[in-house]
Amino acid sequence: MIKISAKTVGELRSKTLAPIMECKKALIEANGKLSKAEEILRIKLGKKILNISNRNAKDGIIAIYISEKVGSLVEINCETDFVAKNNEFIKFSKKIAKLITENTPINLDQLNNLKIKNNLLTVDEKCKELISRIGENIKIRRFKLFKTNNNLISYLHDNKIGVIVEYNGDNESAVKDVAMHIAAMKPIALSSDQIPKKIIEKEYSLAVLKAQQLGKSINLNTKIIDNFMQKFFKEVSLLNQIFIKNNKQTIEKMLKLNKITIKSFSIFVLGEDL
């Protein structure tokens, strides 16, 4: 059998990003010829990555990185909880969150073409390397970037729910409580007038159906529908929600007492429908 040096294996690995044993096998198959081994690997790994990348990836983590007035939330998916808890996968996810904050890409295409610091690989190439070595589909699903003159604070629950809050005020502890509240209660808007029109229309249709099922008069039905909608607005808009740590206060009242103004927030829940 032809003898393959560690230096040659290392050189092939740096060119193809393939695992060491795969590089050694390819060099043996190519009789030690580097260019031929590279061609063999690119065909093999290309097919492997393509097959894996077609698989469903619903697990993963949410990562957050804030630096001064810039911050990011990112969801990175894999196939199993085992990989989601893998240290290398977690480090990669945190690195991507930091990369987003430092480079402020506007979409996933820009992000995937960014170079990872101290590395010649792009984000997309690094992702493919991980897919090849770990053997699971890995993809960056989405990210949210904050660039502001206001303050930012974050909360991360079990790497599965991430929150960033943009605010004015000095009571950081109180805002942290709000971020935790958002993670638990999952409001869809800051105030009722910011709830997306499509969601309101859908909820209104459900309220009409419920009212009709009660078989009341038209006038009474109108009142019932209004009551259903008001209850809905209170449940899903942050300022109207009852503060999870004090059921005698709304979030709006709690913020006023602490002289805090929430400008915006974003919450990522792993795997949620978009």
Side-chain angles (χ1 to χ4, degrees), residues 204 211-212 214-227:
Y204 184 81
Q212 288 172 343
L214 292 173
K216 304 293 183 181
S217 67
I218 293 174
N219 288 339
L220 195 54
N221 269 358
T222 301
K223 188 174 181 180
I224 290 169
I225 291 167
D226 185 58
N227 288 339

Short mmCIF file of all heavy atoms in Angstrom, two decimals, residues 204 211-212 214-227:
data_model
loop_
_atom_site.label_atom_id
_atom_site.label_comp_id
_atom_site.label_asym_id
_atom_site.label_seq_id
_atom_site.Cartn_x
_atom_site.Cartn_y
_atom_site.Cartn_z
N TYR A 204 -60.72 38.10 14.35
CA TYR A 204 -62.08 38.65 14.24
C TYR A 204 -63.03 37.60 13.66
O TYR A 204 -64.16 37.44 14.14
CB TYR A 204 -62.08 39.91 13.37
CG TYR A 204 -63.44 40.59 13.30
CD1 TYR A 204 -63.86 41.43 14.32
CD2 TYR A 204 -64.29 40.35 12.23
CE1 TYR A 204 -65.11 42.04 14.27
CE2 TYR A 204 -65.54 40.96 12.17
CZ TYR A 204 -65.95 41.80 13.19
OH TYR A 204 -67.19 42.40 13.14
N ALA A 211 -69.42 33.99 18.45
CA ALA A 211 -70.64 34.74 18.79
C ALA A 211 -71.87 34.10 18.13
O ALA A 211 -72.93 33.98 18.74
CB ALA A 211 -70.49 36.19 18.35
N GLN A 212 -71.74 33.68 16.89
CA GLN A 212 -72.85 33.05 16.17
C GLN A 212 -73.26 31.73 16.82
O GLN A 212 -74.44 31.39 16.88
CB GLN A 212 -72.45 32.82 14.70
CG GLN A 212 -72.38 34.09 13.89
CD GLN A 212 -71.80 33.87 12.50
OE1 GLN A 212 -71.17 32.84 12.23
NE2 GLN A 212 -72.01 34.84 11.61
N LEU A 214 -73.24 31.09 19.86
CA LEU A 214 -74.01 31.37 21.09
C LEU A 214 -75.48 31.66 20.78
O LEU A 214 -76.32 31.64 21.68
CB LEU A 214 -73.39 32.57 21.83
CG LEU A 214 -72.00 32.31 22.45
CD1 LEU A 214 -71.43 33.61 23.00
CD2 LEU A 214 -72.07 31.26 23.55
N GLY A 215 -75.79 31.96 19.51
CA GLY A 215 -77.17 32.16 19.09
C GLY A 215 -77.85 33.38 19.67
O GLY A 215 -79.06 33.38 19.90
N LYS A 216 -77.11 34.45 19.91
CA LYS A 216 -77.68 35.68 20.48
C LYS A 216 -78.19 36.60 19.38
O LYS A 216 -77.99 36.36 18.19
CB LYS A 216 -76.62 36.40 21.31
CG LYS A 216 -76.00 35.55 22.43
CD LYS A 216 -77.00 35.22 23.51
CE LYS A 216 -76.35 34.43 24.65
NZ LYS A 216 -77.33 34.08 25.71
N SER A 217 -78.80 37.70 19.79
CA SER A 217 -79.29 38.69 18.83
C SER A 217 -78.11 39.41 18.19
O SER A 217 -76.98 39.36 18.69
CB SER A 217 -80.18 39.73 19.53
OG SER A 217 -79.39 40.51 20.42
N ILE A 218 -78.40 40.09 17.07
CA ILE A 218 -77.33 40.79 16.34
C ILE A 218 -76.64 41.82 17.22
O ILE A 218 -75.41 41.92 17.25
CB ILE A 218 -77.88 41.45 15.06
CG1 ILE A 218 -78.33 40.37 14.07
CG2 ILE A 218 -76.83 42.34 14.41
CD1 ILE A 218 -79.02 40.91 12.83
N ASN A 219 -77.42 42.60 17.96
CA ASN A 219 -76.84 43.64 18.82
C ASN A 219 -75.96 43.03 19.90
O ASN A 219 -74.87 43.55 20.21
CB ASN A 219 -77.95 44.48 19.47
CG ASN A 219 -78.62 45.40 18.47
OD1 ASN A 219 -78.05 45.70 17.42
ND2 ASN A 219 -79.84 45.84 18.78
N LEU A 220 -76.45 41.94 20.47
CA LEU A 220 -75.68 41.27 21.53
C LEU A 220 -74.43 40.61 20.94
O LEU A 220 -73.36 40.62 21.56
CB LEU A 220 -76.55 40.22 22.23
CG LEU A 220 -76.02 39.70 23.58
CD1 LEU A 220 -75.72 40.86 24.53
CD2 LEU A 220 -77.03 38.76 24.20
N ASN A 221 -74.58 40.08 19.74
CA ASN A 221 -73.44 39.48 19.06
C ASN A 221 -72.31 40.49 18.86
O ASN A 221 -71.14 40.18 19.03
CB ASN A 221 -73.86 38.93 17.69
CG ASN A 221 -74.29 37.48 17.78
OD1 ASN A 221 -74.23 36.89 18.85
ND2 ASN A 221 -74.72 36.92 16.67
N THR A 222 -72.68 41.71 18.49
CA THR A 222 -71.68 42.77 18.28
C THR A 222 -70.89 43.03 19.56
O THR A 222 -69.67 43.19 19.53
CB THR A 222 -72.37 44.07 17.82
OG1 THR A 222 -73.08 43.81 16.62
CG2 THR A 222 -71.34 45.17 17.55
N LYS A 223 -71.59 43.05 20.67
CA LYS A 223 -70.95 43.27 21.97
C LYS A 223 -70.05 42.09 22.34
O LYS A 223 -68.93 42.28 22.85
CB LYS A 223 -72.02 43.47 23.05
CG LYS A 223 -71.44 43.91 24.38
CD LYS A 223 -72.54 44.23 25.38
CE LYS A 223 -71.95 44.68 26.71
NZ LYS A 223 -72.99 45.00 27.71
N ILE A 224 -70.54 40.88 22.06
CA ILE A 224 -69.74 39.69 22.36
C ILE A 224 -68.46 39.67 21.53
O ILE A 224 -67.37 39.38 22.04
CB ILE A 224 -70.58 38.41 22.09
CG1 ILE A 224 -71.70 38.29 23.12
CG2 ILE A 224 -69.69 37.17 22.13
CD1 ILE A 224 -72.72 37.23 22.80
N ILE A 225 -68.59 40.00 20.25
CA ILE A 225 -67.41 40.05 19.36
C ILE A 225 -66.40 41.07 19.87
O ILE A 225 -65.19 40.80 19.93
CB ILE A 225 -67.83 40.40 17.91
CG1 ILE A 225 -68.63 39.23 17.31
CG2 ILE A 225 -66.61 40.70 17.04
CD1 ILE A 225 -69.34 39.59 16.02
N ASP A 226 -66.90 42.23 20.26
CA ASP A 226 -66.02 43.29 20.79
C ASP A 226 -65.29 42.81 22.05
O ASP A 226 -64.09 43.06 22.20
CB ASP A 226 -66.84 44.55 21.09
CG ASP A 226 -65.95 45.71 21.51
OD1 ASP A 226 -65.06 46.09 20.73
OD2 ASP A 226 -66.12 46.21 22.65
N ASN A 227 -66.02 42.10 22.92
CA ASN A 227 -65.40 41.58 24.15
C ASN A 227 -64.31 40.56 23.84
O ASN A 227 -63.24 40.56 24.46
CB ASN A 227 -66.46 40.94 25.05
CG ASN A 227 -67.36 41.97 25.70
OD1 ASN A 227 -67.00 43.14 25.81
ND2 ASN A 227 -68.54 41.55 26.14
#
